[in-house]
């Protein structure tokens, strides 16, 4: 895979563990694209919570060590494999997956996991599309099968996936409720598609949501922190309502009777379960959102590559501004 002596800076993980196992190296060989692969010169890459679980060794996905974390890059095509016809050198693109990892100056990706980045979005926004928007679309349209006119609560709406969910839900004609833990977060949630927002740090915020939606309850809840909120979610649902679990950081005790009386359901999702065809379907809808203008990624914290350990600490601690966390190269 060597290209003569062409080397790059990249983050390498040699053992599973805390943020300190993320090592910046400047002598990593730049990969060469094969048949259906492209090499992307990375301008920005997204940081997602799942990458911290993989790094710690607690996730089902356990890459062969050493590895470079990350899936979501935005940049410019540097080189293409012989069988690639959709892209050429110089094209602006973003990815939903990489072969060689995203936290690096160059990333190798299969051509079907790479998409054109329109001129109205910058590279930081491009790095905020992958996991957040494709996960949000899978949760709403594929798993919850939402219909226009239904109500949706985005429980934890000020992060990358949450804001993406608000934008998609509003574009598809849903009544959108969101929660956030800061004044700034609440403001941004309202600016990105929510009709109403609630502060989930307030003791009585669940009562406020109940008062807002009335006796019918909420049709769909997109849940970012199930280990804290799932029991409350079940009490907020309408008859036949659905909780879609996007994130959870531990166990929680629930009363299954709450699902019986409303014939409600709890469904977990992972973007990695999507087929190639589903990715293409999600991409077509999201590409339309970029063209029309409702898909507008909100970029939050930004870090240089050498501060990646700090980024991994901050994304789990939650001590960060609203929006998507990105690394800049």
């Amino acid at each position: 895979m060597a290209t003569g002596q062409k080397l790059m800076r990249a983050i390498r993980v040699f053992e599973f563990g805390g943020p300190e196992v993320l090592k910046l190296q400047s002598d990593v060989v730049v990969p060469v694209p094969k048949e259906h692969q492209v090499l992307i010169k990375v301008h920005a890459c997204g940081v997602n919570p799942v990458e911290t679980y993989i790094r710690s060794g607690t996730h089902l996905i356990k890459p062969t060590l050493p590895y470079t974390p990350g899936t979501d890059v935005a940049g410019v095509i540097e080189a293409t494999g012989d069988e690639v016809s959709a892209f050429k050198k110089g094209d602006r693109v973003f990815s939903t997956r990489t072969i060689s990892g995203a936290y690096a100056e160059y990333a190798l990706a299969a051509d079907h996991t790479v998409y054109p980045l329109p001129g109205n979005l910058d590279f930081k926004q491009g790095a905020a599309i992958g996991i957040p928007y494709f996960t949000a679309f899978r949760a709403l349209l594929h798993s919850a099968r939402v219909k226009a006119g239904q109500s949706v609560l985005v429980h934890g709406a000020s992060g990358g996936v949450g804001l993406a969910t608000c934008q998609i839900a509003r574009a598809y004609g849903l009544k959108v409720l969101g929660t956030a833990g800061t004044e700034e977060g609440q403001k941004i949630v309202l600016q990105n598609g929510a009709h109403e927002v609630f502060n989930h740090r307030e003791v009585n915020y669940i009562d406020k949501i109940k008062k807002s939606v009335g006796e019918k309850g909420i049709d769909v809840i997109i849940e970012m922190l199930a280990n804290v909120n799932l029991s409350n979610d079940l009490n907020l649902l309408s008859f036949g309502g659905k909780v879609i679990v996007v994130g959870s950081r531990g166990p929680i005790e629930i009363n299954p009777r709450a699902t019986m009386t409303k014939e409600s359901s709890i469904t977990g999702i992972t973007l990695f379960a999507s087929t190639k065809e589903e990715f293409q379907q999600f991409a077509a809808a999201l590409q339309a959102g970029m063209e029309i203008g409702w898909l507008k990624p909100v970029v939050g914290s930004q870090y240089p590559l050498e501060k990646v350990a700090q980024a991994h600490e901050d994304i789990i601690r939650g001590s960060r501004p609203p929006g998507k966390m990105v690394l800049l190269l």
Side-chain angles (χ1 to χ4, degrees):
M1 287 185 65
T3 57
Q5 285 303 302
K6 192 162 186 189
L7 303 175
M8 65 176 180
R9 293 190 313 143
I11 300 299
R12 301 291 280 165
V13 174
F14 292 90
E15 59 178 327
F16 296 117
E20 70 281 356
V21 303
L22 298 160
K23 305 293 185 188
L24 177 59
Q25 299 205 302
S26 53
D27 59 351
V28 179
V29 175
V30 175
V32 177
K34 295 177 183 170
E35 291 86 355
H36 287 282
Q37 298 174 349
V38 297
L39 183 69
I40 303 166
K41 184 173 187 354
V42 180
H43 286 248
C45 64
V47 179
N48 298 288
V50 69
E51 288 143 27
T52 69
Y53 310 146
I54 294 169
R55 182 216 68 226
S56 69
T58 58
H59 198 273
L60 281 174
I61 295 172
K62 286 191 173 61
T64 304
L65 298 169
Y67 78 98
T68 294
T71 57
D72 302 352
V73 306
V76 175
I77 297 286
E78 177 74 12
T80 60
D82 294 339
E83 302 294 321
V84 175
S85 57
F87 300 103
K88 64 183 186 305
K89 184 172 178 172
D91 286 351
R92 300 171 83 250
V93 295
F94 71 93
S95 73
T96 53
R97 196 169 278 199
T98 65
I99 295 164
S100 61
Y103 299 7
E105 291 178 322
Y106 293 90
L108 190 68
D111 59 357
H112 70 271
T113 65
V114 175
Y115 308 90
L117 180 66
N120 61 333
L121 298 179
D122 62 29
F123 291 119
K124 290 182 282 191
Q125 290 175 302
I129 298 170
I131 280 185
Y133 281 86
F134 283 73
T135 298
F137 196 92
R138 184 173 179 83
L140 282 169
L141 280 300
H142 181 271
S143 297
R145 301 181 190 276
V146 294
K147 298 181 180 72
Q150 286 186 317
S151 58
V152 61
L153 170 66
V154 185
H155 217 155
S158 62
V161 179
L163 290 170
T165 306
C166 289
Q167 290 177 5
I168 295 168
R170 185 64 178 258
Y172 278 76
L174 281 88
K175 183 184 181 189
V176 185
L177 311 177
T179 76
T182 66
E183 200 172 313
E184 184 192 7
Q186 291 174 72
K187 187 177 168 187
I188 286 176
V189 169
L190 283 174
Q191 289 169 349
N192 285 277
H195 293 88
E196 286 185 78
V197 68
F198 303 88
N199 184 344
H200 53 226
R201 295 194 195 281
E202 285 182 7
V203 178
N204 64 337
Y205 86 97
I206 295 292
D207 294 329
K208 288 185 177 179
I209 295 173
K210 281 182 179 173
K211 189 176 178 184
S212 172
V213 298
E215 285 193 17
K216 182 182 183 297
I218 297 163
D219 297 311
V220 173
I221 298 177
I222 307 298
E223 181 53 66
M224 309 299 167
L225 197 60
N227 56 298
V228 173
N229 300 321
L230 188 56
S231 185
N232 281 328
D233 289 343
L234 295 176
N235 293 319
L236 287 169
L237 287 177
S238 63
F239 186 85
K242 304 168 186 172
V243 179
I244 309 296
V245 178
V246 172
S248 184
R249 295 181 184 173
I252 183 173
E253 186 175 307
I254 63 165
N255 183 352
R257 189 176 290 280
T259 67
M260 294 159 59
T261 50
K262 294 179 178 177
E263 293 198 345
S264 57
S265 64
I266 305 164
T267 304
I269 73 148
T270 173
L271 180 60
F272 302 122
S274 306
T275 64
K276 188 175 171 181
E277 291 71 30
E278 285 166 354
F279 266 106
Q280 288 169 345
Q281 177 200 335
F282 304 163
L286 296 173
Q287 211 81 47
M290 292 178 225
E291 291 163 10
I292 295 164
W294 59 254
L295 193 159
K296 289 183 193 155
V298 178
V299 177
S301 310
Q302 303 169 39
Y303 300 79
L305 195 58
E306 54 269 23
K307 298 280 188 187
V308 65
Q310 187 65 54
H312 269 221
E313 277 186 34
D314 292 348
I315 201 166
I316 291 303
R317 280 211 313 261
S319 56
R320 63 189 195 278
K324 180 77 179 91
M325 182 181 285
V326 298
L327 299 175
L328 303 177
L329 287 97

